[in-house]
Amino acid sequence: MVLVLALGDMHIPHRAPDIPAKFKSMLVPGKIQHIICTGNLCIKEVHDYLKTLCPDLHITRGEYDEDSRYPETKTLTIGQFKLGLCHGHQVIPWGDLDSLAMLQRQLDVDILVTGHTHQFTAYKHEGGVVINPGSATGAYSSITYDVNPSFVLMDIDALRVVVYVYELIDGEVKVDKIDFKKTSTSVPAL
Amino acid sequence: MPPALLDPPLSETSLVPYLISGTISQEPVPESRLFEDLRGLRWRINLGVLPPCSSLTSIDDLRRATANSRRRYASLRGQLLVDPHITKDGSSSPPNLVMDNPLSQNPNSTWGRFFQNAELERMVDQDLSRLYPEHGFYFQTKGCQGILRRILLLWCLKHPECGYRQGMHELLAPLFYVLQDDVEHHSEVRKLHEDHFTDRFDGLFCQENDISYSFDFIKSPDLLNDEIDSHGEGVKIKSLDELDPKIQTIVLLSDAYGAEGELGIVLSEKFIEHDAYCMFEALMNGARGSVAMADFFSYSPVAGSHTGLPPVIEASAALYHLLSHVDSSLYSHLVELGVEPQYFALRWLRVLFGREFSLDNLLIIWDEIFLSDNSEMEKHVEDNADTGFRLFHSSRGRFISAIAVAMLLHIRSSLLATENPTTCLQRLLSFPEDTDIKKLIEKAKSLQTLALSSEISSSTPMLIEYNKGKSVVARSISIPCESGSPKTPNSLLPDNSYWEEKWRVVHSAEELKQDGVEKQVPSQKKRWTEKVKLSLKRTESEPSSSTIKSGKKESKASVNRSLLEDLSKKLGSEGDTEKLGCHEVGQQDDGSDDSNNYDADDRCLSKNISSENSFNSASPPNEIKDLENENISQKSSVGSNLSVDEINEISHSSPIDSPLPISDHPENNLSPAPGRNNDSTGNLATISRDIKLNKFQWLWKFGRNKAELLSEKRGRASEPVKPTNNFNNNQSNTAPSSTAGEHCSSVNFKGDSADQNVMGTLRNIGQSMLEHIQDYVFVQQVIESAFQHERGQGASLDNNMSKNVLVGKGQVTAMSALTELRKISNLLSEM
């Protein structure tokens, strides 16, 4: 019953002023145990805000981040799952599943979380799960049209992870749910 | 062997054993000895979870009750424990994710409830982790903690109005412990008498040879060896009948095929959680009895409370009340130190002494507590609604308070040795480990009967003046410090019962009054004194500035009391120590605080009553004089210092003193009064009121000019009149004052020989006053105005502004009343 928040690409203050109010009202401290952020926050204030939601914060460096001390990739273990984190601009072509799968194999993780495309995707493949939480602010992207603000909440429970996707479409929060199960220690089930 | 054991008729009913004088057991088992070894079972019966043992209860009933209670818990658990991953059955196939996502703000969503439960669990865990560290090997195990946590969580969810409070876990832990104990005992018995524990299923249908049967199903190789050994030892129990009745019942209670099957096995490890929950719930709810532990955890007054206090505060006061009856010196010592009962009683009561004794001793005490019946006594229903502490309504409550008092008495000497409240509390909160529990319980039992007798039959108990909660507490604490009186400040009678008592007294006085006049006078005095005593008992607490009315009543009563006492003293009635004590105490200068005036008066009077037995008045008149010569700067002390002479003078001069014309107060009937002055038909009830008013006025007048009064005592009659005139700022008539002075002197000269006359005078005056002053509210106003004036004379003038309106009215009524009195006194003096 571990709740992990995955978000990124806020581009504050360059491309967006703030996370949408409806999202902010939902993000209350105390419920979430971990936050993983793909990058491009870009300023320290956003980092501090995320810190107030949860003390356990993991960030990887995006190309516009002003803090250069963030790592390029990160891995962590939550419950039975290994999670990998990377901003994604390093993996070319941007957003390509096979390339990301290569990265996943490199990092040897079950769940890979990347960003940069500002579009929510969640792929299941034999290697594991690749999740892109999109842009939390719906910031402009040169490679995606009609960016909607979105983020992802993962509920990790023993060998099962439930992925809740929160999207702000036309001013309303829409929620979707995806189930992933892991049958054995090494290979996640499809 | 099972088939051979059972009686030939195989019908269910005849086989069902009865607990008492059943077909199987040889003799009736006395209820107190029932299930001696099975504490958990006994407690379950005592708490009301299982039906009480009577000749009508059968094992089956017990089993059924057990099963029902367990089913209830199981359904509750399924209902309240939330697992958000499990979708509800029958819900629409696409669950509404906007509602049901983990970040949902909706409190009703499964996730919302999940987080609320998590919050509660966190609080419970804080306490559970510190539960019984000395028995950590048992209570700190993960399984036990998990069970306890679940039980507490479910109870709190079921009772959201109570929530979780620290201490509930300590109530639950021993309950769980005894249940586990029972199960262990059961398994021991089972090992010992393995033969008889075969299920009746086997016994009923398979009439085979014992040995072959037991071989097949029951006996493992080890047990077989045991059996062989037991054979070797000699006596082999052949039938169930030969077994100890206790063992029999255990066997039958554990039969997996009895009523309700497995769920009905009364001593079952599988269902310990269920049973513990039921016991905990019964304990908290009180099972429709008088003592419900949940009340002790609530901060607000329980519905139906007479005092409007949180129940635990009320129960603590009940404790002190009982202590005051049992050991007044310890009680007064504690009150003097300012040790409020709830400082320590809160912990004692909320955990039922769980923190004061080791677990084993605690179990013994709880045995006794649960043995006491918890049903509410019928008597209190008919009685005056304000009587009695709720704690005393049931024998269980009485026993709890008796144990507390017994504990206090146990450490009596160390408590009496303490000099300040801190050390006293320290000693109270660290109860000695090595107390003899048996003696404690015996003492408590004796006190329990005492509680039954004294509390129910005595006059209305002192109620606590926690009208406004903590602020009042602070106030009541300050009172003893100021006056030094050992009497508790925590007594405030609601007005209606106070006046009811007055009526009763008055009516009884009226009966006496039917006798001869001569006899009447002294007896009336005595009655008045009685009345005073009773009112003293009742109105001991200080009136709050916000409740002027009640305060006025009390002060009036106190004033009356003092007057009455003085009067009776003058009559030479046998030492009414209260009066003397009152005088003595009255000497204490209570400071300039107005409220303290009343308090001091009340307190001194109450103190007098409490110490009346110890006080001997050798020469009341002399002492009175001496006392009067003391400084009396406050009204209260004035009242107490009034000599009889003064009172006489007052009685005569007060009507004279009033230079104020009778106002045209709309409701004032004083103008037609003169014609009725000489009427001797007195309604005693009104007389009492009038007397109070009179005395109050007299006292009030004198109080304002103590110096003059003192000088007056020395024989100058005219002086007091002048000061009183000063009071009557509106109009000052020298003529009346002079006449008053004359009358005063004339009265003075009468001396002791005029005792009877004086009394008659007073009585007549009283009667006339009664007739004159019809509306009691105006009496109040008079008092208020008088007090206000007094205050004006005194140092503090805080309340003056607010009472100016009342003052005017009061003045008017007072003046009119006084005019009447003056006329009466004139007539009397002519006699």
Side-chain angles (χ1 to χ4, degrees):
Chain A
M1 191 53 73
V2 179
L3 291 180
V4 182
L5 176 69
L7 76 171
D9 289 319
M10 276 79 77
H11 287 277
I12 296 169
H14 307 121
R15 300 188 195 174
D18 200 1
I19 296 174
K22 291 208 164 157
F23 280 177
K24 269 195 154 167
S25 69
M26 293 171 73
L27 295 172
V28 295
K31 289 186 182 176
I32 298 162
Q33 276 81 54
H34 306 275
I35 297 186
I36 53 182
C37 185
T38 53
N40 273 349
L41 269 61
C42 306
I43 46 178
K44 186 175 175 298
E45 277 75 1
V46 183
H47 174 101
D48 294 337
Y49 166 72
L50 291 178
K51 220 32 177 184
T52 66
L53 294 183
C54 164
D56 191 31
L57 178 61
H58 306 273
I59 310 183
T60 50
R61 180 133 203 269
E63 73 267 41
Y64 287 102
D65 269 316
E66 303 212 345
D67 189 345
S68 55
R69 293 169 302 170
Y70 298 141
E72 293 280 320
T73 61
K74 211 164 192 188
T75 56
L76 54 153
T77 308
I78 296 174
Q80 302 284 334
F81 289 92
K82 287 202 285 240
L83 283 87
L85 185 63
C86 177
H87 178 248
H89 70 276
Q90 303 96 331
V91 180
I92 299 165
W94 292 335
D96 181 47
L97 175 60
D98 294 323
S99 313
L100 290 173
M102 264 200 308
L103 176 64
Q104 188 180 21
R105 284 191 291 273
Q106 259 180 335
L107 296 175
D108 187 25
V109 289
D110 303 314
I111 303 172
L112 180 66
V113 181
T114 56
H116 185 60
T117 60
H118 294 207
Q119 187 169 37
F120 162 74
T121 56
Y123 297 121
K124 252 193 284 192
H125 65 99
E126 71 262 344
V129 177
V130 177
I131 297 176
N132 187 325
S135 164
T137 53
Y140 166 80
S141 163
S142 51
I143 50 175
T144 311
Y145 304 118
D146 295 326
V147 181
N148 286 320
S150 66
F151 67 90
V152 157
L153 183 74
M154 288 186 283
D155 178 14
I156 296 177
D157 192 23
L159 287 173
R160 190 177 94 145
V161 59
V162 182
V163 176
Y164 294 89
V165 179
Y166 295 80
E167 270 186 287
L168 192 70
I169 299 171
D170 296 331
E172 286 302 317
V173 177
K174 300 273 192 295
V175 188
D176 206 355
K177 189 166 95 162
I178 305 165
D179 266 308
F180 297 113
K181 266 203 194 63
K182 182 174 165 179
T183 50
S184 66
T185 50
S186 56
V187 179
L190 291 171
Chain B
M1 33 95 190
L5 293 174
L6 302 170
D7 294 336
L10 295 178
S11 60
E12 273 300 305
T13 49
S14 66
L15 283 176
V16 171
Y18 283 79
L19 295 177
I20 300 183
S21 62
T23 54
I24 292 186
S25 53
Q26 305 299 335
E27 79 226 12
V29 180
E31 194 165 328
S32 59
R33 279 191 54 241
L34 203 56
F35 303 127
E36 246 177 32
D37 302 336
L38 303 175
R39 202 176 240 144
L41 188 53
R42 216 168 352 122
W43 284 12
R44 271 188 277 173
I45 294 172
N46 289 338
L47 284 173
V49 176
L50 296 179
C53 293
S54 61
S55 52
L56 302 172
T57 341
S58 68
I59 294 273
D60 272 6
D61 289 340
L62 277 186
R63 292 175 67 109
R64 263 181 230 115
T66 316
N68 287 339
S69 63
R70 288 171 182 171
R71 271 193 275 263
R72 261 203 335 243
Y73 174 69
S75 70
L76 184 71
R77 192 164 115 172
Q79 194 185 336
L80 287 180
L81 273 190
V82 175
D83 186 0
H85 295 294
I86 298 171
T87 55
K88 297 199 237 310
D89 309 76
S91 64
S92 55
S93 38
N96 185 1
L97 277 176
V98 177
M99 296 280 285
D100 261 347
N101 63 78
L103 297 178
S104 163
Q105 305 291 303
N106 190 344
N108 290 332
S109 67
T110 44
W111 279 98
R113 282 180 22 225
F114 170 78
F115 282 118
Q116 283 165 11
N117 293 357
E119 189 59 45
L120 206 50
E121 269 191 33
R122 226 187 315 244
M123 261 173 46
V124 171
D125 270 341
Q126 265 178 353
D127 280 341
L128 276 182
S129 57
R130 293 175 287 173
L131 175 66
Y132 276 122
E134 64 268 18
H135 300 280
F137 63 89
Y138 177 72
F139 284 110
Q140 297 294 328
T141 58
K142 224 163 156 13
C144 176
Q145 292 250 309
I147 292 181
L148 296 180
R149 186 187 308 127
R150 260 201 306 277
I151 294 176
L152 288 169
L153 183 68
L154 287 173
W155 191 88
C156 295
L157 287 176
K158 183 131 186 282
H159 298 82
E161 69 276 3
C162 296
Y164 176 75
R165 302 254 179 270
Q166 192 182 29
M168 291 183 179
H169 67 295
E170 301 218 8
L171 279 178
L172 174 60
L175 299 177
F176 185 78
Y177 183 77
V178 300
L179 280 175
Q180 184 76 25
D181 226 11
D182 267 8
V183 168
E184 279 166 15
H185 178 83
H186 165 250
S187 57
E188 280 168 17
V189 169
R190 194 181 182 114
K191 264 194 283 208
L192 206 53
H193 300 276
E194 188 57 42
D195 312 349
H196 308 289
F197 274 84
T198 52
D199 300 328
R200 277 163 64 191
F201 168 74
D202 297 334
L204 278 175
F205 296 107
C206 305
Q207 314 261 348
E208 310 253 331
N209 190 311
D210 333 343
I211 303 190
S212 65
Y213 212 82
S214 51
F215 264 93
D216 292 344
F217 291 100
I218 316 295
K219 296 292 194 260
S220 67
D222 338 333
L223 290 173
L224 189 54
N225 294 335
D226 287 343
E227 195 184 354
I228 293 171
D229 291 344
S230 65
H231 284 222
E233 278 165 13
V235 180
K236 180 169 187 253
I237 298 172
K238 282 234 185 291
S239 71
L240 198 59
D241 296 339
E242 295 173 9
L243 274 180
D244 193 1
K246 289 192 260 186
I247 312 289
Q248 288 176 28
T249 48
I250 293 183
V251 170
L252 292 157
L253 287 173
S254 337
D255 187 3
Y257 289 90
E260 303 281 0
E262 274 214 4
L263 200 62
I265 299 179
V266 181
L267 309 165
S268 156
E269 181 141 25
K270 239 166 49 161
F271 300 108
I272 273 195
E273 190 177 335
H274 305 62
D275 294 336
Y277 177 82
C278 297
M279 282 174 79
F280 182 66
E281 190 183 29
L283 180 61
M284 294 295 270
N285 293 342
R288 291 173 304 280
S290 167
V291 174
M293 295 305 300
D295 288 345
F296 287 156
F297 289 96
S298 77
Y299 297 135
S300 56
V302 171
S305 152
H306 311 310
T307 58
L309 298 164
V312 69
I313 309 273
E314 193 186 328
S316 320
L319 224 148
Y320 255 26
H321 187 59
L322 181 58
L323 179 65
S324 69
H325 282 264
V326 170
D327 186 349
S328 55
S329 61
L330 175 63
Y331 170 75
S332 46
H333 176 77
L334 287 173
V335 169
E336 201 170 343
L337 284 186
V339 175
E340 296 287 321
Q342 59 269 14
Y343 293 162
F344 57 92
L346 193 92
R347 193 172 86 173
W348 288 7
L349 292 172
R350 277 197 176 172
V351 199
L352 271 189
F353 313 107
R355 285 274 176 145
E356 321 303 323
F357 300 103
S358 66
L359 187 56
D360 302 318
N361 288 344
L362 184 70
L363 295 180
I364 301 176
I365 292 187
W366 278 27
D367 272 346
E368 294 299 330
I369 292 183
F370 295 148
L371 210 57
S372 321
D373 183 38
N374 198 22
S375 56
E376 197 139 350
M377 303 280 296
E378 290 296 327
K379 275 173 86 171
H380 285 266
V381 180
E382 61 186 47
D383 207 345
N384 187 0
D386 292 316
T387 57
F389 290 100
R390 203 174 149 83
L391 191 65
F392 290 146
H393 284 193
S394 75
S395 82
R396 184 176 293 174
R398 283 194 292 276
F399 188 73
I400 291 177
S401 48
I403 288 212
V405 174
M407 287 164 71
L408 284 172
L409 293 177
H410 180 82
I411 49 173
R412 183 175 191 277
S413 46
S414 75
L415 286 182
L416 283 173
T418 59
E419 288 303 320
N420 56 58
T422 325
T423 42
C424 190
L425 270 176
Q426 267 171 4
R427 299 206 182 153
L428 280 167
L429 290 173
S430 53
F431 202 73
E433 286 285 324
D434 52 352
T435 43
D436 187 352
I437 295 295
K438 295 239 176 345
K439 279 202 209 138
L440 203 68
I441 292 184
E442 275 161 25
K443 179 117 192 114
K445 286 208 173 121
S446 65
L447 290 175
Q448 181 187 16
T449 48
L450 174 67
L452 175 67
S453 63
S454 80
E455 263 49 331
I456 291 179
S457 59
S458 74
S459 57
T460 51
M462 306 179 290
L463 293 175
I464 303 161
E465 59 163 23
Y466 289 94
N467 295 330
K468 310 287 186 268
K470 299 211 164 63
S471 58
V472 185
V473 176
R475 236 185 335 175
S476 56
I477 289 176
S478 63
I479 291 174
C481 302
E482 286 170 56
S483 71
S485 160
K487 205 69 173 179
T488 181
N490 302 336
S491 48
L492 174 62
L493 211 72
D495 292 336
N496 51 357
S497 56
Y498 168 75
W499 289 115
E500 281 169 14
E501 188 57 47
K502 279 258 180 280
W503 273 97
R504 259 175 256 152
V505 172
V506 162
H507 285 305
S508 63
E510 189 167 49
E511 287 170 15
L512 292 171
K513 220 185 156 108
Q514 302 309 324
D515 306 340
V517 175
E518 291 267 327
K519 265 199 316 185
Q520 270 187 353
V521 174
S523 60
Q524 191 174 14
K525 274 223 164 72
K526 298 253 173 63
R527 286 196 298 279
W528 291 344
T529 324
E530 269 178 31
K531 205 171 22 162
V532 166
K533 281 188 207 176
L534 287 166
S535 53
L536 272 173
K537 269 190 205 157
R538 303 258 166 69
T539 65
E540 287 175 352
S541 67
E542 62 166 358
S544 63
S545 55
S546 58
T547 58
I548 298 290
K549 201 159 183 182
S550 57
K552 300 292 185 197
K553 283 185 194 167
E554 287 163 16
S555 49
K556 217 171 73 139
S558 68
V559 163
N560 296 331
R561 267 173 276 165
S562 55
L563 276 172
L564 287 169
E565 288 163 357
D566 293 337
L567 284 169
S568 46
K569 266 189 201 159
K570 184 183 176 177
L571 285 179
S573 58
E574 58 277 10
D576 273 337
T577 59
E578 35 198 51
K579 289 177 285 187
L580 289 171
C582 170
H583 287 284
E584 283 188 351
V585 179
Q587 294 170 28
Q588 302 169 14
D589 213 310
D590 303 313
S592 59
D593 190 4
D594 284 337
S595 59
N596 285 345
N597 288 346
Y598 314 150
D599 298 335
D601 211 6
D602 293 339
R603 233 184 321 281
C604 81
L605 293 165
S606 59
K607 181 183 176 180
N608 299 334
I609 291 176
S610 62
S611 62
E612 61 185 342
N613 295 331
S614 57
F615 197 95
N616 291 322
S617 59
S619 57
N622 296 339
E623 290 186 36
I624 295 169
K625 293 266 188 208
D626 293 339
L627 291 169
E628 292 163 358
N629 292 340
E630 301 287 336
N631 161 46
I632 307 164
S633 61
Q634 310 293 335
K635 178 192 156 301
S636 56
S637 44
V638 171
S640 57
N641 281 328
L642 282 174
S643 66
V644 183
D645 291 341
E646 271 191 342
I647 290 173
N648 294 336
E649 291 156 6
I650 291 168
S651 63
H652 295 293
S653 62
S654 55
I656 304 167
D657 280 344
S658 155
L660 303 168
I662 298 171
S663 71
D664 49 85
H665 205 287
E667 300 170 17
N668 196 338
N669 298 332
L670 291 181
S671 36
R676 300 155 63 191
N677 282 353
N678 295 326
D679 289 348
S680 59
T681 63
N683 204 350
L684 261 189
T686 50
I687 286 177
S688 65
R689 283 194 211 148
D690 277 356
I691 290 172
K692 281 187 220 133
L693 171 62
N694 298 344
K695 297 197 175 137
F696 163 78
Q697 290 169 343
W698 303 328
L699 282 172
W700 156 58
K701 283 187 182 155
F702 280 91
R704 292 168 55 258
N705 307 281
K706 316 253 166 88
E708 275 101 353
L709 289 173
L710 289 169
S711 59
E712 181 188 2
K713 285 174 224 160
R714 280 151 201 154
R716 292 182 296 168
S718 58
E719 285 189 16
V721 180
K722 290 168 198 167
T724 56
N725 285 339
N726 294 340
F727 157 75
N728 299 319
N729 299 329
N730 296 353
Q731 301 160 15
S732 58
N733 295 333
T734 52
S737 57
S738 57
T739 53
E742 291 168 6
H743 287 294
C744 284
S745 46
S746 64
V747 172
N748 279 338
F749 299 147
K750 281 178 188 169
D752 285 338
S753 58
D755 285 358
Q756 301 297 327
N757 223 356
V758 169
M759 289 319 298
T761 310
L762 283 171
R763 197 158 46 80
N764 291 340
I765 291 171
Q767 290 171 352
S768 58
M769 290 306 297
L770 274 173
E771 292 151 13
H772 301 331
I773 300 168
Q774 314 239 334
D775 193 356
Y776 189 65
V777 176
F778 288 112
V779 169
Q780 289 279 310
Q781 290 172 347
V782 167
I783 298 169
E784 282 172 296
S785 64
F787 279 130
Q788 184 165 2
H789 277 274
E790 166 111 337
R791 288 201 208 105
Q793 300 287 332
S796 62
L797 300 168
D798 296 340
N799 300 323
N800 276 352
M801 304 315 292
S802 59
K803 298 192 182 68
N804 281 335
V805 178
L806 287 172
V807 172
K809 274 193 193 167
Q811 271 186 2
V812 167
T813 50
M815 292 167 195
S816 48
L818 290 171
T819 340
E820 293 308 319
L821 279 172
R822 194 187 335 146
K823 291 177 186 164
I824 296 162
S825 64
N826 288 338
L827 293 165
L828 287 168
S829 59
E830 289 164 6
M831 291 181 346

